């Protein structure tokens, strides 16, 4: 494909220059929003007889390669970022050395149930028909996947809620994981370390989460230590890159017509390195907007660390 008119390269670049944007922080990164067929049309106007294959060759020649955008730019920072990362690293090592469990916890976004389109493709004998709009009013329900990733055992556990993502739901999911999995594999555990984000149903700022966490520690008779990732750092939470991407792939292209369908799909989540997934449905109605008890802040037994107390604290079981 090298026998072109000597001017086609410059004319090609001139066309792209008029339809190119770039990264204001890095002038070497440029992209065009023209499709190959549109570039063919522009070159035809200049008298060149070219095909889409030739245009694709020119794009590659001039280092225009089709790529997806990557979410790697941190939108903000926090003064405690490095100190908390170092603290989490030390806590993880201490717990693993002592034979105590280290769990990464988070909630995936709520999914609507019904004939809604989902990204991905499947082998089918006929095209799958879905709604042309994702109106929540057309849904037959919703499902909220709340996950736990066991760092030592490389196992995953998901609770599928059908109501709301609240602190009570998060703590009920934790209770369910412990009585069905945790206590079996860690019968001598003295404490449980949970790594989680600083927002959502397990927000570092909300006392309702701390109150529900204390109730869970009391019910289990187990100390629960929380270590929050500071704002803008949730992508470093292990569950985000060791579990949830596999769940997403397992569910690609499938219509979520029922909670049981979602359970079946997620249960199949596995990898060649031994990843296994257990799924439990928690069909309970959770109230939103709950308030913590009026005197909880004054009498709460939550023990905050002296180092970075905002992000690190323990719920010690009470008699």
């Amino acid at each position: 494909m090298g026998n072109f008119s000597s001017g086609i390269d410059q004319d090609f670049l001139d066309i792209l220059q008029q339809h190119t944007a770039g990264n204001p922080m890095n002038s070497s990164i440029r992209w065009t929003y023209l499709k190959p067929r549109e570039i063919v049309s522009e070159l035809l106007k200049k008298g060149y007889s070219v095909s889409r294959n030739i245009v694709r060759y020119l794009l590659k020649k001039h280092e225009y390669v089709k790529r997806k955008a990557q979410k790697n730019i941190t939108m903000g920072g926090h003064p405690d970022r490095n100190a908390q990362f170092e603290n989490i690293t030390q806590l993880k090592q201490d717990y693993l050395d002592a034979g105590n469990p280290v769990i990464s916890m988070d909630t995936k976004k709520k999914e609507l149930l019904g004939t809604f389109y989902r990204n991905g493709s499947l082998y089918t004998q006929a095209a799958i028909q879905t709604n042309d709009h994702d109106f929540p009013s057309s849904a037959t329900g919703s499902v909220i996947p709340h996950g736990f990733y066991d760092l030592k055992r490389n196992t995953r556990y998901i609770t599928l809620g059908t109501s709301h993502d609240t602190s009570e739901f998060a703590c009920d999911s934790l209770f369910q994981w412990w009585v069905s999995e945790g206590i079996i594999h860690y019968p001598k555990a003295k404490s449980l370390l949970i790594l989680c984000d600083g927002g959502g149903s397990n927000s570092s700022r909300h006392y309702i989460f701390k109150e529900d966490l204390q109730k869970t520690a009391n019910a289990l008779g187990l100390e629960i230590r929380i270590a929050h990732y500071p704002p803008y750092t949730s992508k470093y939470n292990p569950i985000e890159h060791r579990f949830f991407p596999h769940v997403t792939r397992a569910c690609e292209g499938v219509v979520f017509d029922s909670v049981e369908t979602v359970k079946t799909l997620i249960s199949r989540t596995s990898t060649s390195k031994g990843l296994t997934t257990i799924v439990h449905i928690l069909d309970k109605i959770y109230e939103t907007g709950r308030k913590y008890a009026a005197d909880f802040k004054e009498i709460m037994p939550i023990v905050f660390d002296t180092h970075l107390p905002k992000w690190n604290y323990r719920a010690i079981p009470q008699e």
Side-chain angles (χ1 to χ4, degrees):
M1 290 188 178
N3 298 322
F4 296 134
S5 165
S6 59
I8 191 171
D9 282 287
Q10 188 57 53
D11 285 336
F12 169 80
L13 292 173
D14 288 345
I15 291 169
L16 262 61
Q17 181 65 36
Q18 299 171 35
H19 302 277
T20 293
N23 185 339
M25 304 301 294
N26 187 343
S27 60
S28 67
I29 300 177
R30 311 288 290 174
W31 61 86
T32 181
Y33 45 82
L34 288 179
K35 306 295 184 186
R37 59 178 174 78
E38 295 172 319
I39 300 174
V40 168
S41 178
E42 293 297 321
L43 286 172
L44 287 174
K45 293 177 183 178
K46 292 182 176 290
Y48 296 102
S49 179
V50 295
S51 66
R52 294 187 192 182
N53 285 338
I54 291 175
V55 166
R56 292 189 182 97
Y57 166 79
L58 290 170
L59 285 166
K60 183 176 181 180
K61 177 182 178 181
H62 295 285
E63 300 182 343
Y64 280 85
V65 179
K66 197 170 186 179
R67 299 181 176 93
K68 288 185 177 180
Q70 299 180 358
K71 294 183 179 181
N72 289 328
I73 300 175
T74 301
M75 293 300 293
H78 194 281
D80 292 340
R81 173 189 169 111
N82 289 342
Q84 180 61 354
F85 275 19
E86 292 174 357
N87 187 58
I88 287 175
T89 298
Q90 187 61 56
L91 283 173
K92 286 193 299 185
Q93 193 60 55
D94 290 345
Y95 269 68
L96 292 172
D97 288 347
N100 288 321
V102 180
I103 304 300
S104 175
M105 176 177 82
D106 199 10
T107 307
K108 281 179 67 66
K109 73 178 183 70
K110 180 172 70 176
E111 299 279 0
L112 296 176
L113 299 178
T115 51
F116 298 107
Y117 173 81
R118 292 179 51 73
N119 284 328
S121 57
L122 301 168
Y123 287 104
T124 67
Q125 292 183 318
I128 298 173
Q129 304 298 321
T130 61
N131 299 343
D132 58 356
H133 288 82
D134 293 344
F135 294 131
S137 58
S138 301
T140 58
S142 62
V143 61
I144 304 166
H146 187 279
F148 297 93
Y149 169 58
D150 185 330
L151 273 67
K152 180 179 180 180
R153 299 181 58 247
N154 191 33
T155 56
R156 283 74 168 172
Y157 185 95
I158 276 193
T159 299
L160 298 178
T162 58
S163 178
H164 300 285
D165 183 22
T166 66
S167 64
E168 186 181 11
F169 169 58
C171 290
D172 281 354
S173 299
L174 172 60
F175 181 92
Q176 187 63 42
W177 170 80
W178 179 255
V179 299
S180 62
E181 289 291 311
I183 196 170
I184 295 173
H185 300 289
Y186 300 97
K188 297 181 180 180
K190 303 297 183 183
S191 182
L192 165 65
L193 172 62
I194 299 180
L195 311 178
C196 56
D197 297 349
S201 56
N202 48 245
S203 173
S204 62
R205 298 179 294 107
H206 295 164
Y207 282 94
I208 187 64
F209 172 63
K210 295 177 176 64
E211 184 177 44
D212 287 338
L213 186 72
Q214 184 63 56
K215 292 177 182 177
T216 304
N218 294 346
L220 296 176
L222 177 71
E223 177 184 279
I224 303 173
R225 172 181 278 280
I226 298 293
H228 290 286
Y229 284 89
Y232 308 108
T233 64
S234 61
K235 67 180 180 180
Y236 296 102
N237 194 356
I239 196 171
E240 294 289 346
H241 49 88
R242 296 187 188 178
F243 184 16
F244 284 166
H246 301 298
V247 172
T248 299
R249 282 193 288 273
C251 298
E252 284 181 338
V254 181
V255 174
F256 283 178
D257 56 3
S258 70
V259 180
E260 289 295 339
T261 295
V262 181
K263 179 181 179 181
T264 299
L265 289 167
I266 296 179
S267 296
R268 292 165 40 204
T269 303
S270 62
T271 68
S272 59
K273 294 185 178 181
L275 176 149
T276 59
T277 304
I278 297 173
V279 186
H280 172 76
I281 297 174
L282 188 54
D283 193 11
K284 176 180 175 180
I285 302 301
Y286 289 97
E287 176 187 352
T288 58
R290 287 173 54 239
K291 305 296 183 182
Y292 57 86
D295 60 348
F296 177 72
K297 287 180 67 174
E298 288 70 32
I299 66 171
M300 69 174 177
I302 296 290
V303 178
F304 293 88
D305 289 7
T306 55
H307 179 55
L308 301 172
K310 182 177 182 180
W311 313 114
N312 306 280
Y313 48 87
R314 293 175 293 147
I316 301 174
Q318 305 296 297
E319 298 293 336

